[in-house]
Amino acid sequence: LSTTGSSDVFIETWSSKAGIIKVGVGVRTDQRSIAGRGIFATRDIREGEVVASIPNGLVLMGKGDGWAGEITNAVKALKGGGGRRGEGGGSGEDSRVEWIDGWEGGGCKSWDDVCACVGGEGAFNGREELREMVRLRLEDRLQGFRQISYLDASDLELYALVCSRACHLGPSWGEGAVGVIPYFDYLNHHDDPSRVNVGLESFGQVLSRTPEGPGRPDPGTMNEKDMLIVAKKDVREGEELLTSYVDEDDEGGDVRKIITWGFSTLS
Ligand SMILES: C[S@@+](CC[C@H](N)C(=O)[O-])C[C@H]1O[C@@H](n2cnc3c(N)ncnc32)[C@H](O)[C@@H]1O
C-alpha cells in the first residue's frame, strides 16, 4: 500500500513508541477505506494471527452507566484542560494526548445531522417514529454526559468522540468495563458479518482458551488485560481490516449507529 499520509506515519510512529506491537498491518488514509482512515493488511494474514498487541496501561477505561463521562473526564485531565486533580495527572505530559488530538469521526451533533444520516425525516416512517427511537437511545448516553466535570461546549464534541471510539473490554477487565484502546480505535465498521475479519480479545482470554502445552502463549512480560487484535479469517494484502461496532441482537442498532458513529445504512 503506497498512500501513507503524514498523519498515518505519525500514528505508526507514536503507537510503536508507546509499546504497541503491530504485525502485517498499518493505518492508512485511503480511498479504498470504507471511512477515510482505517487499518489495512500490509501482507497476507492468516486466520488466528495476532496483528496488534496493545499494553493495558494505554487503555482509557470507564465502568458502569457513567463510563463515557468517566473517560471524557480522564481525557480532559490528561490534556490538562480542567479535569479534577488526581485524575490522570492533569499535566498534559502523557503521550496519549498526541493520540487523542488525532481523533476523528464521532456521532451526530444535531438533529439535522441525524436526519441527513437517514436520508431526510421522511425516510424513517415519519419524523415521530425516528424521534422516539433517537430519544430512547440517547437516554443511556445522557447518563454518562451528566457526569462530566466543568461542562463547556467542546465537552459535547469530546464526549461524542469518546463514545464513537469505545468498546467493551471483556472479562479480564471486570464487569461493565468499557474503554478506548489506541490503535484498535482506528478500525472501521462493516454491516455484513461476512466482511468482519478481525476481533478483539484480551491476553487473559487467549490464555484461558488455549490448552496447556506447546504453542500456548508464554505469559512472559504480558498482562492479562493487554489487548490483542486477532484475525478472524484469512486477510489478503491490501484489504481493510474491519470489525463490527453493533451487537447482532441490538434491536436499536441502526439508530445507535447514527447517534454514536454518525453514519447509517438505513435507506
Ligand atoms: C472508531 S472510529 C474508526 C476510525 C476512524 N475512521 C478514524 O479515522 O479515526 C469510528 C468512526 O469512523 C467512521 N466509520 C467507521 N466505520 C464506518 C462506516 N462503515 N461508514 C461510515 N463511517 C464509518 C465514523 O465516523 C465513526 O464515528
Side-chain angles (χ1 to χ4, degrees), residues 1 35 44 53 57 97 102 110 131-132 136 145 183 203 217 233-234:
L1 277 177
D44 290 348
S53 159
V97 170
S110 68
R131 244 187 206 291
E132 179 59 9
L136 289 172
F145 193 59
Y183 214 77
F203 184 63
K233 50 173 66 179
D234 292 349

Side-chain angles (χ1 to χ4, degrees), residues 28-38 104 188-189 240 242 245 263:
R28 299 286 185 272
T29 305
D30 191 291
Q31 282 183 345
R32 282 168 290 179
S33 166
I34 197 164
R37 181 170 71 185
E104 284 174 13
N188 290 318
H189 161 93
E240 181 166 8
L242 294 161
Y245 296 168
F263 66 89

Side-chain angles (χ1 to χ4, degrees), residues 44 124 198 212 243 257:
D44 290 348
F124 206 80
V198 285
E212 296 277 353
T243 184
K257 228 184 292 170

Side-chain angles (χ1 to χ4, degrees), residues 64-77:
D65 287 344
W67 65 265
E70 230 178 282
I71 297 176
T72 306
N73 277 336
V75 170
K76 287 179 67 178

Side-chain angles (χ1 to χ4, degrees), residues 23-25 40-51 231 233-237 241:
V23 186
V25 295
F40 285 79
T42 55
R43 62 153 169 81
D44 290 348
I45 293 166
R46 299 253 300 278
E47 181 181 340
E49 265 190 71
V50 173
V51 298
K233 50 173 66 179
D234 292 349
V235 185
R236 303 293 298 271
E237 178 178 349
L241 303 189

